[in-house]
């Protein structure tokens, strides 16, 4: 250890820099640039060699979020990915020292300070700051750092409380906050000014939704016309729905405070008339909100009563052997989507995986013994047929009831009463249907014709057929010792090389893909 320190001192200590700015909504990064310059100057004066810079721009060291740990425990933590990555590097002895601009730039939460202290004790690196406020060389330095961080944390809490109260007062006065203007407006002189082109789009969308058109149809028309969304990308139905539900377009200022757990309240504590021109009048906005609410409820009922729509033949079946997470299609690959970001990033080619699994499934369906077993398993009982018929009748009745209400044939009170009755009956019959016929979800096709029909059917149908015989597809890592491609040999023709490469890829896929068949 002594020898390593002497060598490091002779060559100049390896140092990492940490710079942070709490707020930079414009993303200019001038603050972190200035901090980095000062930290580099200190490192140069000390004769230390900078090996890495950890930058966290527009990142609070005080605000906490509710997160779920790998153990399943929900806790409150300050989320700073680069700070955590720096501690991990220092713990691995990837550097001999750390320089920050100031104590409160590095830590402003007591828990973060204790983690820094623990890492320093275990790894033995030096800690300095350009202002001299961050020192952890002895017990006195550590005690002073704890006092200063506690005071800084209290100062942040006081500031947050004052800002929160000022924001509420701003809302009560009907003034727009200083954040980004909602779609349809631009900020000018601390108020909202309608943008004629965007306002026309909002009115068009509102008229079409009230006339019975779907969000999908509106979004499709706008995308085909090349109309960009507020983010400059294609329109999505979610963005359109959120835009039409924003009270600001009706000239209403709302205020939803942050709760103690860090989440935004679902209920407004202040709702006043804003000091800007509305795009939609209040009556139109309320009618629009009612239609959107009813559509959302109808969608939730249908989603509860029907199987999940699959976009690809093996959606939900492909899983990572490393972390056990579901792998989803992203561009040209199946990619591991583990909820804990950064835990796993395994990928496998989508088309090649689909080809391998499809061939295996069709081979399975060609087996006479399997067909005999599945044909008997998918017969629907008479009781299940009766319940299914009742479900179809009730769902059709629910659709007609909603149409009658929109057309003014049925008043709101009658509509709500009859709708509640139909929804209750649909839920009960759905439960009976699942109990009476657990295999009903797979009884929508003749299993003896799967091989012939496979390539003409939809991905949802293919997914349903796959689940009858396949439990899951496990994707392993790339085989050790095997490359990802093959080089063309001397005197080998292009056709011969392509054939050999195809065999090579097939061998890799055979090793990486494991099929677990349903019992």
């Amino acid at each position: 250890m002594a020898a390593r320190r002497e060598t490091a001192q002779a060559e100049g200590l390896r140092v990492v820099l940490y710079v942070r700015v709490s707020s930079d909504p414009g993303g200019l990064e001038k603050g972190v640039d200035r901090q980095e310059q000062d930290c580099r100057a200190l490192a140069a004066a000390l004769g230390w060699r900078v090996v890495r810079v950890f930058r966290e721009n527009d990142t609070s060291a005080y605000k906490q979020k509710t997160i779920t740990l790998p153990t399943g425990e929900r806790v409150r933590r300050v989320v700073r990915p680069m700070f955590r990555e720096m501690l991990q590097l220092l713990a691995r002895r990837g550097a001999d020292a750390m320089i920050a601009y100031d104590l409160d730039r590095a830590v402003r939460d007591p828990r973060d300070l204790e983690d820094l202290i623990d890492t320093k004790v275990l790894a033995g690196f030096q800690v300095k700051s350009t202002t001299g406020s961050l020192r952890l060389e002895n017990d006195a330095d550590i005690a002073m750092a704890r006092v200063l961080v506690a005071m800084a944390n209290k100062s942040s809490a006081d500031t947050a409380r004052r800002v929160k109260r000022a924001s509420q007062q701003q809302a009560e006065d009907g003034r727009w906050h200083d954040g980004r203007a909602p779609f349809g407006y631009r900020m000018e002189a601390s108020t909202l000014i309608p943008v004629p082109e965007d306002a026309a789009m909002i009115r068009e969308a509102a008229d079409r939704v009230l006339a019975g058109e779907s969000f999908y149809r509106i979004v499709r028309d706008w995308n085909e016309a090349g109309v960009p969304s507020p983010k400059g990308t294609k329109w999505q139905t979610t963005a359109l729905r959120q835009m039409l539900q924003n009270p600001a377009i009706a000239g209403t200022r709302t205020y939803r405070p942050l709760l103690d757990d860090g989440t935004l309240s679902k209920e407004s504590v202040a709702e006043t008339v804003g000091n800007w021109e509305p795009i939609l009048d209040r009556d139109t906005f309320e009618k629009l909100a009612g239609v959107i609410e009813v559509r959302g409820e109808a969608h939730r009922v249908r989603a509860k009563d029907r199987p999940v729509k699959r976009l690809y033949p093996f959606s939900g079946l492909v899983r990572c052997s490393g972390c056990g997470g579901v792998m989803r299609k992203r561009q040209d690959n199946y990619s591991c989507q583990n909820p804990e970001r950064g835990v796993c990033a395994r990928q496998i080619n989508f088309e090649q995986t689909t080809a391998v699994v499809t061939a295996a499934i069709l081979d399975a369906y060609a087996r006479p013994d399997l067909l005999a077993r599945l044909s008997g398993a998918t017969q629907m009982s008479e009781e299940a047929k009766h319940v299914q018929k009742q479900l179809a009748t009730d769902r059709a009745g629910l659709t007609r009831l909603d149409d009658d209400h929109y057309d003014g044939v049925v008043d709101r009170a009658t509509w709500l009463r009859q709708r509640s009755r139909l929804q209750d009956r649909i839920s009960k019959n759905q439960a009976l249907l699942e109990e009476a016929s657990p295999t009903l979800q797979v009884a929508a096709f003749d299993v003896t014709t799967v091989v012939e029909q496979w390539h003409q059917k939809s991905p949802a149908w293919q997914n349903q057929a796959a689940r009858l015989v396949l439990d899951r597809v496990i994707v392993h890592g790339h085989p050790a010792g095997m490359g990802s491609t093959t080089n063309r040999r001397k005197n080998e023709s292009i056709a011969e090389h392509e054939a050999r490469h195809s065999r090579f890829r097939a061998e890799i896929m055979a090793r990486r893909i494991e099929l677990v068949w349903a019992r």
Side-chain angles (χ1 to χ4, degrees), residues 176 180-188 191-196 198-199 202-203 246-252 276-280:
W176 187 252
R180 186 176 61 184
F183 182 79
Y185 293 93
R186 58 180 172 83
M187 287 289 296
E188 184 177 306
T191 189
L192 298 178
I193 305 298
V195 178
D198 296 345
I202 292 176
R203 295 188 185 98
N246 190 344
I249 64 176
T252 300
W276 61 86
E277 179 185 347
I279 294 175
L280 299 179

Side-chain angles (χ1 to χ4, degrees), residues 260-432:
D260 293 338
D261 63 356
T263 61
L264 196 63
S265 171
K266 295 182 179 180
E267 301 295 332
S268 299
V269 299
E271 186 170 315
T272 57
V273 177
N275 62 350
W276 61 86
E277 179 185 347
I279 294 175
L280 299 179
D281 62 78
R282 190 67 192 178
D283 289 343
T284 301
F285 180 77
E286 289 181 353
K287 290 180 182 177
L288 184 64
V291 170
I292 294 176
E293 180 183 358
V294 170
R295 285 190 182 183
E297 179 62 27
H299 175 76
R300 286 189 290 273
V301 171
R302 289 195 297 268
K304 179 181 178 181
D305 294 340
R306 68 187 178 193
V308 178
K309 182 180 180 181
R310 302 290 177 178
L311 298 180
Y312 305 103
F314 309 119
S315 296
L317 291 171
V318 183
R319 293 183 172 273
C320 172
S321 69
C323 65
V326 174
M327 301 180 71
R328 305 187 189 283
K329 185 178 185 299
R330 293 291 184 272
Q331 296 181 346
D332 297 331
N333 299 310
Y334 273 117
S335 302
C336 185
Q337 301 293 312
N338 192 291
E340 291 294 330
R341 185 177 298 178
V343 169
C344 188
R346 179 168 297 172
Q347 292 184 335
I348 191 169
N349 184 272
F350 172 80
E351 289 188 2
Q352 294 176 6
T353 302
T354 300
V356 170
V357 179
T358 297
I361 287 177
L362 295 184
D363 286 343
Y365 270 105
R367 289 166 41 198
D369 59 326
L370 176 69
L371 295 180
R373 178 170 63 83
L374 292 179
S375 296
T378 57
Q379 293 300 317
M380 191 188 308
S381 67
E382 291 300 321
E383 180 183 1
K385 291 180 180 179
H386 174 74
V387 175
Q388 187 184 46
K389 184 177 179 180
Q390 182 63 52
L391 266 175
T393 301
D394 287 342
R395 287 168 182 159
L398 193 62
T399 302
R400 287 195 301 272
L401 180 65
D402 288 341
D403 291 341
D404 289 344
H405 175 61
Y406 299 149
D407 295 340
V409 178
V410 177
D411 61 81
R412 182 175 179 81
T414 303
W415 171 67
L416 289 173
R417 184 174 62 255
Q418 294 184 3
R419 202 171 200 283
S420 176
R421 192 176 301 162
L422 281 171
Q423 288 175 337
D424 288 343
R425 196 158 63 199
I426 288 173
S427 298
K428 291 178 181 178
N429 282 336
Q430 179 64 28
L432 289 174

Side-chain angles (χ1 to χ4, degrees), residues 365 373-374 378 442 445 447 463-470 518:
Y365 270 105
R373 178 170 63 83
L374 292 179
T378 57
V442 297
F445 52 82
V447 295
N463 185 273
Q464 195 176 62
R467 287 173 178 271
L468 258 181
V469 297
L470 192 61

Side-chain angles (χ1 to χ4, degrees), residues 73-84:
E73 179 185 6
R74 299 184 74 233
V75 295
R76 299 282 295 155
R77 292 288 187 272
V78 175
V79 179
R80 288 194 292 162
M82 297 307 296
F83 178 77
R84 291 292 155 185

